[in-house]
Structure formats: structure tokens, C-alpha cells
Amino acid sequence: MRVSVFGACGRMGRTTVQAILNSEDLMLSGCFDRTIFKGIDAASGIGSSSVLITDSMEEALDSCECAVDFTNASISEEIISKAVLKGVSIVVGTTGHSEEALDRIDALAKKYKSRVLVVPNFSIGAVLMMKFAREASAFFSSAEIIELHHDKKIDSPSGTSIRTLEGMLSERNEFSNPPKKGENDRARGFEKNGVHIHSVRLPGLVAHQEVIFGGTGEILTIRHDSLSRESFMPGVLTALRRIEKLPFGTSYGLERVL
């Protein structure tokens, strides 16, 4: 299958390019990035390929059967929309989309019978962490989430933490940890339905999250750590290989293809 990588010069993009080049059943056919590296071999620094980096979305889409997006929320919707209109399935690793943007993408994908898979986290371990947190929510009424990422991550809370919270709230609509009223509100982080999410951004981190549940005389901590971007590659390749099995429209989460 011919695959184009959008955001090919970023950290996730370059790791994905290398993973595709090393795979036996996927072929790198296009690379998009709006950087000074236009016209450079997409595999520069990690090998060699016949694919050059382009700053034309259309050029990158014309060469592929499936695309993967690791850009940013400011241009991601445009990339996804162009892919849908060309009949190209697209795996979206970019986070920070608004609910309105996701609704527009879903409507467009259904209209043009295309497939969009939005994945907040490609780590299989992170998917399991979210599953275990959802299950634990049936037994604990108090919980908080701490998510830690590298200092270049723009959006907060992270897409993974929001997805985790949504799963927890599917088991228990309200948690008994409401924000205190007053000046101390500012130190409690993002809050929804009694669950606080605290975002940490520091150099040296990759992607980490812990969900802490409190009960009478006990604490349950569910934690996942991605120590390198290679940890996301099995999930990225699985998403690319299996996206055609999904229904038309937008699907959410790596679990849809596991």
C-alpha cells in the first residue's frame, strides 16, 4: 500500500517514515512538510528513498492510497478534507482539533464515502491503560489524571488524557472530587465532572500518563510510559494496514483496529 506522511520532518513524522521504509508491505510514496527541507530526500539522515519532501498537499495526496497526519491542528483539518475529497483514507495522529472540526470531518467523510481514523495515542500500552482506567471507574468514585509530555507539545490537556476521561465517564458520570471554590482553583488543572487533569510539559519527557484512583484507605495508580517514539510505530503501522476495514466516516481510537 502506498502511504504519504504529512508532517514528515517532525519527530513523529520522521520516525514514521523510517518505520514505513523498514516494512515489507507498505511503500512510502509521498512526504509533506512546510519547512526549509523542501526537495530533500525524505529519508535523509536515516537512509535513502526516491521520495522528496514537498510543501504541496495535493502532490503528496496524488501519489498515495492512504495518508498519515502528524502536523498540527492549524492545518490538519485542511489536509484531512483534501484527502477525503480525493478518496484517500487517512490516519490522524494530530491532536487539538475542536469538536466542531471533528464534526465537519465526520460529515464530509460520510458524504464522500471515505475513512478517517483519529488516534490520540498509538501506543498499545496506552490503549490498555485507558481500558483499565475505564474499568476501575466502576469501583472508585474519586480520581485524578496527570499527563506528562515533552516541552514541544502544544495542546493541553493531551488528547490521550481527554480520551481517558471520556472512557471513565462512560462508567461513572460524576466523580466526587469537585474543584474547591476560591483562589486555589488555579492549581487544580482542567476539570470535568469531578476529575482533574494536570498537564506537565518538560524537556526529556516523551509521553506519560497516570490515572490515580482514591478509595477508603487505598490508592490505585494506573501508569503508562512511552520512552521513545518507536513505541508508537506498531500502532501506526497497524492503523494504516487496517483502516480499510472501518466504516465510512470518522472512527476514534487505536482500539478500533486492534
Side-chain angles (χ1 to χ4, degrees), residues 127-214:
V127 171
L128 291 172
M129 176 264 298
M130 289 185 272
K131 173 181 171 63
F132 299 153
R134 181 174 65 249
E135 293 175 350
S137 296
F139 303 95
F140 289 88
S141 61
S142 296
E144 299 210 1
I145 299 172
I146 304 173
E147 55 96 348
L148 310 92
H149 285 82
H150 55 90
D151 57 332
K152 299 298 189 295
K153 185 173 179 61
I154 298 172
D155 57 311
S156 61
S158 68
T160 300
S161 64
I162 292 173
R163 182 77 173 173
T164 303
L165 177 55
E166 290 172 349
M168 293 165 63
L169 294 177
S170 71
E171 289 289 339
R172 181 185 297 274
N173 186 56
E174 192 78 29
F175 285 75
S176 57
N177 191 11
K180 297 182 183 299
K181 302 300 180 183
E183 285 296 313
N184 289 333
D185 284 0
R186 294 175 297 177
R188 299 300 306 281
F190 174 90
E191 185 274 333
K192 183 176 180 181
N193 292 38
V195 178
H196 297 262
I197 301 178
H198 308 271
S199 298
V200 178
R201 300 288 180 266
L202 288 171
L205 296 170
V206 179
H208 318 262
Q209 181 172 291
E210 59 182 34
V211 187
I212 307 172
F213 294 91

Side-chain angles (χ1 to χ4, degrees), residues 29-243:
S29 62
C31 284
F32 166 89
D33 208 296
R34 288 178 173 170
T35 70
I36 61 173
F37 299 108
K38 176 184 176 182
I40 300 296
D41 187 338
S44 178
I46 56 176
S48 63
S49 73
S50 58
V51 179
L52 303 181
I53 295 169
T54 178
D55 59 359
S56 167
M57 296 179 189
E58 290 79 5
E59 183 180 337
L61 288 170
D62 284 343
S63 64
C64 71
E65 299 167 272
C66 188
V68 58
D69 170 32
F70 286 114
T71 56
N72 56 70
S74 66
I75 64 170
S76 180
E77 184 179 357
E78 182 182 359
I79 293 168
I80 299 167
S81 299
K82 288 181 182 295
V84 167
L85 293 173
K86 286 180 175 289
V88 174
S89 298
I90 183 165
V91 176
V92 181
T94 299
T95 57
H97 298 95
S98 67
E99 289 298 324
E100 294 78 14
L102 292 173
D103 288 343
R104 288 193 297 269
I105 291 167
D106 184 46
L108 191 68
K110 288 177 178 175
K111 178 179 179 180
Y112 287 93
K113 292 182 170 52
S114 187
R115 296 172 176 87
V116 179
L117 175 60
V118 179
V119 182
N121 195 312
F122 286 94
S123 163
I124 294 172
V127 171
L128 291 172
M129 176 264 298
M130 289 185 272
K131 173 181 171 63
F132 299 153
R134 181 174 65 249
E135 293 175 350
S137 296
F139 303 95
F140 289 88
S141 61
S142 296
E144 299 210 1
I145 299 172
I146 304 173
E147 55 96 348
L148 310 92
H149 285 82
H150 55 90
D151 57 332
K152 299 298 189 295
K153 185 173 179 61
I154 298 172
D155 57 311
S156 61
S158 68
T160 300
S161 64
I162 292 173
R163 182 77 173 173
T164 303
L165 177 55
E166 290 172 349
M168 293 165 63
L169 294 177
S170 71
E171 289 289 339
R172 181 185 297 274
N173 186 56
E174 192 78 29
F175 285 75
S176 57
N177 191 11
K180 297 182 183 299
K181 302 300 180 183
E183 285 296 313
N184 289 333
D185 284 0
R186 294 175 297 177
R188 299 300 306 281
F190 174 90
E191 185 274 333
K192 183 176 180 181
N193 292 38
V195 178
H196 297 262
I197 301 178
H198 308 271
S199 298
V200 178
R201 300 288 180 266
L202 288 171
L205 296 170
V206 179
H208 318 262
Q209 181 172 291
E210 59 182 34
V211 187
I212 307 172
F213 294 91
T216 303
E218 64 176 341
I219 294 291
L220 170 65
T221 300
I222 302 171
R223 181 176 175 111
H224 176 262
D225 296 277
S226 282
L227 304 179
S228 72
R229 286 169 181 81
E230 283 75 16
S231 68
F232 303 121
M233 291 305 107
V236 171
L237 299 184
T238 297
L240 289 168
R241 289 167 177 148
R242 298 182 181 176
I243 189 172

